[in-house]
Amino acid sequence: MVATLISLLPFLVAAAFGYLLGSIPFGVIITRIFKLGDLTKIGSGNIGATNVLRTGNRFAAALTLVLDMAKAAGALWVARYIWGDEAGFVAGAAALVGHCLPVWLKFKGGKGVATFFGIMLVGLPYVGVFCALTWLVMAFVFRISSLAALTATALAPLFAYVFHANIWGIGFAAALAVFIWYRHRANIQALLRGEERKIGAPAEPARPA
């Protein structure tokens, strides 16, 4: 029993570290610093870069995107360096959960797309690159961030199979994709109704998540 707990300790610490790092609401912090208003009451109400962009400040949105990616990438990299690859992926996944369900905001966070890319670019680099390219192409063609994110994450397990041929990596990519799709369930309904907002659309009062 004691030996089992000791063997699990690195994963528990990695998960706690990843969650706390991932739960830092950079979007909220940046919009307050730039005096852009309460991000939770703008647009979709989530704390990610897409919603920051609805304030009209592209620099703030870009900074949020970079920091949201960096916190997940950093969690994975640090945990992997200290405890190994498996603990690194645990920390990365925990960072994604932390971003989407941050304790500091009563578990009301973002959709996790930027953190997903941060995890993939460090943990499964080829998957991360091709997911990012997929997002860029879809966003350029359709101008809908959620559609681009759903497409990119849905293809992540396929990219993992093509470039890594590792069942663990494929399963990891699939699990993150399912979580991202669950977080986008309201967006999926809006897409089906043809009501999803396009990238750069003016801010509106926050709608239910």
Side-chain angles (χ1 to χ4, degrees):
M1 181 68 176
V2 174
T4 301
L5 290 175
I6 291 175
S7 66
L8 290 176
L9 186 59
F11 298 100
L12 296 175
V13 175
F17 168 67
Y19 175 83
L20 291 174
L21 187 57
S23 67
I24 299 174
F26 283 117
V28 173
I29 294 170
I30 289 169
T31 51
R32 287 180 180 175
I33 291 174
F34 283 76
K35 298 181 179 179
L36 300 172
D38 184 350
L39 188 60
T40 62
K41 297 179 181 178
I42 295 172
S44 64
N46 79 66
I47 64 173
T50 299
N51 206 38
V52 176
L53 184 61
R54 294 190 178 106
T55 66
N57 192 313
R58 294 184 179 182
F59 178 75
L63 187 59
T64 301
L65 175 66
V66 170
L67 290 174
D68 282 349
M69 291 177 63
K71 65 185 182 183
L76 192 155
W77 186 87
V78 171
R80 182 171 63 184
Y81 180 79
I82 298 174
W83 297 296
D85 286 340
E86 292 181 355
F89 282 110
V90 168
L96 177 63
V97 174
H99 175 78
C100 295
L101 304 169
V103 64
W104 326 112
L105 298 176
K106 299 180 180 179
F107 305 104
K108 296 179 181 179
K111 300 295 178 67
V113 178
T115 50
F116 171 86
F117 285 134
I119 294 166
M120 288 295 140
L121 287 170
V122 173
L124 302 170
Y126 288 113
V127 177
V129 168
F130 277 85
C131 283
L133 289 174
T134 300
W135 189 96
L136 289 171
V137 171
M138 292 296 292
F140 178 79
V141 173
F142 295 101
R143 306 294 299 172
I144 300 176
S145 179
S146 60
L147 179 61
L150 290 167
T151 305
T153 54
L155 290 175
L158 175 62
F159 293 145
Y161 173 78
V162 171
F163 293 107
H164 294 271
N166 181 306
I167 191 64
W168 197 93
I170 296 168
F172 180 75
L176 295 191
V178 169
F179 185 70
I180 295 290
W181 273 64
Y182 175 77
R183 292 294 298 172
H184 279 77
R185 58 195 185 279
N187 302 87
I188 294 171
Q189 293 174 0
L191 283 167
L192 293 174
R193 294 193 304 266
E195 298 174 356
E196 185 71 328
R197 286 192 294 271
K198 294 195 174 184
I199 296 172
E204 299 175 0
R207 65 185 182 188

